[in-house]
Amino acid sequence: MTAEEIYKLLCITNEKNIEYRVHFVKRLETRARISDIIPNDIAEFKKILLNRCPVYVDYQENNELKDENEYRVFYNITEKYDLVVVLSLVSCSPIKIKFITVYQQNVNRRLNK
């Protein structure tokens, strides 16, 4: 999937088809305390998803579940850091989105790929 396709999917997916995994919520809370670019809560996180198109999407090949596809989705937040969101798209009708984890990463790592 492209960054634009992920963005459109996030914008049109019904909230009841979105799952924030326990690991994701814990990492969001923990990492927000030590990082200026990670949102403090789900509401702030949603604002980023719905108001910014990702700059890069990387498919995760190691997913063991056949009906799910994992992606690392990169949002450029500052000149120095990206916000990286790992999510899983569950192939069903309608599609479901599971948020797995979130972290910050230096922009240079993305640019050097």
Side-chain angles (χ1 to χ4, degrees), residues 12-59:
I12 64 168
T13 301
N14 189 310
E15 186 67 31
K16 69 180 182 179
N17 293 322
I18 295 177
E19 177 184 343
Y20 300 96
R21 305 300 299 253
V22 172
H23 177 84
F24 174 85
V25 175
K26 286 182 181 179
R27 293 300 176 260
L28 185 69
E29 293 169 354
T30 304
R31 293 174 176 161
R33 286 186 230 132
I34 60 174
S35 170
D36 292 339
I37 73 157
I38 296 183
N40 292 319
D41 57 28
I42 298 290
E44 290 297 315
F45 176 72
K46 286 182 194 177
K47 286 180 186 177
I48 292 172
L49 296 182
L50 299 177
N51 293 312
R52 292 177 183 240
C53 186
V55 293
Y56 182 72
V57 175
D58 186 25
Y59 180 70

Side-chain angles (χ1 to χ4, degrees), residues 44-112:
E44 290 297 315
F45 176 72
K46 286 182 194 177
K47 286 180 186 177
I48 292 172
L49 296 182
L50 299 177
N51 293 312
R52 292 177 183 240
C53 186
V55 293
Y56 182 72
V57 175
D58 186 25
Y59 180 70
Q60 299 280 92
E61 301 244 358
N62 61 352
N63 191 346
E64 297 172 4
L65 302 172
K66 294 179 182 175
D67 66 336
E68 295 187 27
N69 294 299
E70 276 189 16
Y71 297 90
R72 286 188 308 154
V73 183
F74 295 74
Y75 293 86
N76 187 241
I77 303 298
T78 68
E79 288 182 24
K80 189 173 181 180
Y81 292 108
D82 285 336
L83 177 69
V84 182
V85 178
V86 178
L87 56 82
S88 179
L89 301 178
V90 182
S91 300
C92 61
S93 185
I95 197 161
K96 293 185 181 182
I97 302 172
K98 295 179 184 178
F99 289 94
I100 310 299
T101 195
V102 61
Y103 56 94
Q104 80 176 30
Q105 179 174 288
N106 194 298
V107 169
N108 291 335
R109 288 191 63 193
R110 172 177 47 88
L111 296 177
N112 290 332

